[in-house]
Amino acid sequence: MGKETFGVGPLLGIAMLAGAVPADVRAQQNPIQQVAAPAIDNDDIGGVVTSRFGPEAGVWVIAETTGFGTRFAKMAVTDERGRYVIPDLPTANYRVWVRGYGLVDSPKVASEPGKILNLTAVTAPSLAEAAQYYPAAYWYSMVKIPDQSRFPGTGDKGNGIPEYFKTPQHWLNFIKTNGCGNCHQIGNYATRYLSPKLGHFESSEDAWSYRLSVGPAGHDMVNFITQLMTPDGGQLKALADWTDRIQAGELPSRSPQRPVGVERNLVVTVRDWLDPKHYLHDLTTTDRRHPTVNAYGPIYGDTELSSNPQPVLDPVHNTKTTIEPPVREGTPSSALANKVVAASPYWGMEQTWDSKVNAHTSVMDQDGRVYWAAQNRSPQDIPAYCKKGSPLRSAQLYPLDVPHEGFFQNSRQVTVYDPKTKQFTTIDTCFGTHHLNFAEDANNTLWLSNNTGLGGAPVPELAVAGWINTRLFWQTGEAAKAQGWTPFVVERQARRGLQPARPDTRLQQGHSDPLWHVRDGLFAGGQGGLGLEPGPSRLHHAARPREEPARYRVDRNL
């Protein structure tokens, strides 16, 4: 499940046939006429885009350079007269071209800031060539899914759909957002065609079966597709049928519309600031509670399973560097759980994922410090203050003492980087960490979720919500005094048709996204892996440990 770096690829370049342009698109192309170039500053590139149909409205003009040590591109959209301005470009030599619906990429022309550059758009010679620029989702929409009449699933002895899938939306969620689409841009060129580098196979199903086993994420991909199998071939057969139809010349049934209205006001800047072998899972730029913190400052990346170094982008000078959070001796690597067993068509048998840091997500505090949900010790090295007999109140109520060999996703703690001192500080939490968010309170409480029960993490009983009193931590430097946690006990409200659950039901899966509910001063978030109905939820009585576990209320009126 390789993840792609952020760049100017087919997702940003999408086309629509202009040789036989539908009426709604032809209306965006004005009759041939002389159009005056727009006014520009010394750090802009601007001009007019025309084709044989006249000025081209609603197409992208892209200026790209590799002169900063990282690929940099900025793009703007033409107005109704085909005019464009790419503003505020740093000094460099650029290649500039046109991309848009109904077009194929125009030749790339050298230019520099302060220049007027009129460009000629190239009309797509065929619908098939135009479609190569469509957004990936247009192509992926061609995948056939089970008919609605087959839901809910009743298993192999019933309708063939696994019982887990209650509705078509559950199936779509699995093959899109929280399945294949979690890592891949499904429908892009790399996924809608079967690369010859995969090898020779008797059928497309065989090719897909192999394809889903390659690289460090092969195990996860095989696990996903196995859950989507049915007696008639399931999603594996659907993927094979999808690529066969595309190979035979089938195209998406609809063409995308060009940007209109305020969409044409967008200027997008993209940069590649890691490398082709490793992926960025997340990033942080500021304190969300005080969004002027770190203004124009560095952007910090999170590489999760892929690498120990974390990328840092300077958005002013467009330079990239890396910093490497510390780990203790004996900290296991992600390579242990993500071994390459089948050769990738890109990197062969190379173990490209090899991270002990496992930095999943980050946030920034009011002083500009960066906090990662990251591994900094072995899951076997559990501090005494986490265990039964500890003076820590959370441990007295709910001790966390389950050592584990090897690597698993939930074995993260917290690592902090201070850009002012360029020093790292580790906070050894008893609970695993996943996502994190600050509360708007005097203690600058950092709330953390975990994904125990998911991603190969053992012992679902370890699922808790955790918090760190960061004000106390920076005063004392003592991780034990500053942290606490609570398990989940569900308390559902019978609102809007929701059915009440059994009282005092202990939940054995982790919460996904911790949020601070400003109105009520409560921890809130989405259920994620809790196995409940979709919808927001609130954790009550979690400000400090009580004599009983905190109540977890499913509440759609947040």
Side-chain angles (χ1 to χ4, degrees), residues 79 87 101 120 132 206 242 273 333 404 423 457 463-464 482 500 509 530:
D79 68 7
Y101 306 136
T120 301
Q132 299 307 312
D206 289 343
W242 174 57
W273 51 297
S333 168
H404 180 72
Q423 297 296 311
V464 297
Q509 283 188 315
L530 292 175

Side-chain angles (χ1 to χ4, degrees), residues 85-159:
V85 174
I86 305 176
D88 304 331
L89 287 164
T91 302
N93 295 317
Y94 290 89
R95 298 185 304 165
V96 186
W97 74 97
V98 181
R99 177 177 287 181
Y101 306 136
L103 310 175
V104 294
D105 281 359
S106 68
K108 296 180 179 180
V109 180
S111 189
E112 59 189 39
K115 300 288 187 180
I116 291 292
L117 180 65
N118 295 327
L119 295 166
T120 301
V122 179
T123 303
S126 69
L127 185 59
E129 290 183 68
Q132 299 307 312
Y133 295 84
Y134 286 9
Y138 277 70
W139 290 93
Y140 197 38
S141 69
M142 296 167 60
V143 172
K144 296 177 180 177
I145 66 170
D147 187 78
Q148 187 169 352
S149 64
R150 297 182 66 185
F151 296 92
T154 55
D156 290 347
K157 296 181 180 179
N159 60 15

Side-chain angles (χ1 to χ4, degrees), residues 3-6 178 182-183 273-274 278-284 288 300-307 309-311 353 358-362 372-373 409 412 433-436 451 512-513:
K3 306 193 180 180
E4 300 179 70
T5 52
F6 193 31
N178 286 308
N182 205 5
C183 294
W273 51 297
L274 190 54
H278 302 104
Y279 66 89
L280 280 172
H281 176 266
D282 211 336
L283 58 85
T284 194
R288 295 166 185 165
Y300 297 89
D302 319 325
T303 61
E304 200 188 29
L305 302 172
S306 63
S307 70
Q310 306 303 305
W353 294 3
N358 189 20
H360 183 269
T361 309
S362 58
W372 278 281
Q409 276 275 34
R412 302 187 191 95
T433 65
H434 186 56
H435 291 129
L436 61 174
N451 68 343
S512 177
D513 302 296

Side-chain angles (χ1 to χ4, degrees), residues 207-485:
W208 268 100
S209 183
Y210 178 80
R211 177 188 230 179
L212 294 173
S213 68
V214 306
H219 175 271
D220 288 338
M221 291 191 288
V222 169
N223 179 56
F224 267 100
I225 201 66
T226 299
Q227 296 176 72
L228 292 161
M229 293 304 293
T230 63
D232 61 359
Q235 182 67 5
L236 183 66
K237 183 176 180 179
L239 289 170
D241 169 72
W242 174 57
T243 48
D244 282 347
R245 287 186 285 117
I246 291 172
Q247 186 65 40
E250 186 173 335
L251 301 173
S253 60
R254 296 181 59 186
S255 300
Q257 180 181 334
R258 288 182 177 182
V260 295
V262 295
E263 296 170 352
R264 294 179 179 174
N265 296 341
L266 290 176
V267 176
V268 178
T269 303
V270 295
R271 303 169 178 90
D272 288 345
W273 51 297
L274 190 54
D275 62 66
K277 294 184 180 180
H278 302 104
Y279 66 89
L280 280 172
H281 176 266
D282 211 336
L283 58 85
T284 194
T285 60
T286 189
D287 182 348
R288 295 166 185 165
R289 304 163 301 172
H290 310 287
T292 58
V293 170
N294 193 45
Y296 301 104
I299 300 172
Y300 297 89
D302 319 325
T303 61
E304 200 188 29
L305 302 172
S306 63
S307 70
N308 288 316
Q310 306 303 305
V312 181
L313 173 69
D314 180 338
V316 175
H317 301 97
N318 298 295
T319 56
K320 62 179 181 179
T321 54
T322 60
I323 55 177
E324 186 163 336
V327 296
R328 294 185 202 165
E329 185 176 353
T331 301
S333 168
S334 62
L336 296 174
N338 298 279
K339 293 183 178 179
V340 177
V341 297
S344 159
Y346 303 102
W347 311 117
M349 293 297 292
E350 183 179 351
Q351 185 66 51
T352 52
W353 294 3
D354 186 8
S355 175
K356 295 181 179 180
V357 174
N358 189 20
H360 183 269
T361 309
S362 58
V363 293
M364 187 175 288
D365 72 6
Q366 68 284 348
D367 297 314
R369 289 177 292 233
V370 182
Y371 295 67
W372 278 281
Q375 181 176 244
N376 52 54
R377 63 164 170 84
S378 166
Q380 297 189 85
D381 298 338
I382 300 173
Y385 55 74
C386 304
K387 304 175 183 179
K388 188 175 181 179
S390 165
L392 186 58
R393 187 59 176 148
S394 290
Q396 294 172 1
L397 294 173
Y398 205 82
L400 298 176
D401 183 14
V402 184
H404 180 72
E405 292 186 6
F407 178 90
F408 67 96
Q409 276 275 34
N410 196 49
S411 181
R412 302 187 191 95
Q413 297 78 39
V414 174
T415 299
V416 187
Y417 178 70
D418 188 338
K420 297 173 184 175
T421 64
K422 302 189 183 306
Q423 297 296 311
F424 287 97
T425 301
T426 59
I427 304 176
D428 198 345
T429 57
C430 299
F431 47 88
T433 65
H434 186 56
H435 291 129
L436 61 174
N437 254 319
F438 277 104
E440 297 188 35
D441 62 7
N443 293 326
N444 292 309
T445 304
L446 182 64
W447 283 92
L448 303 107
S449 68
N450 63 30
N451 68 343
T452 303
L454 303 174
V459 192
E461 291 79 14
L462 292 179
V464 297
W467 61 88
I468 299 170
N469 180 333
T470 62
R471 181 180 64 85
L472 181 60
F473 176 77
W474 294 116
Q475 286 176 351
T476 66
E478 296 187 37
K481 286 185 177 181
Q483 69 179 281
W485 62 88

Side-chain angles (χ1 to χ4, degrees), residues 185-199:
Q185 189 185 91
I186 301 293
N188 66 359
Y189 188 90
T191 56
R192 68 178 180 257
Y193 293 102
L194 289 168
S195 170
K197 294 181 180 180
L198 288 169

Side-chain angles (χ1 to χ4, degrees), residues 34-48:
Q34 290 296 113
V35 177
I40 63 170
D41 296 330
N42 290 334
D43 57 357
D44 306 335
I45 295 176
V48 180

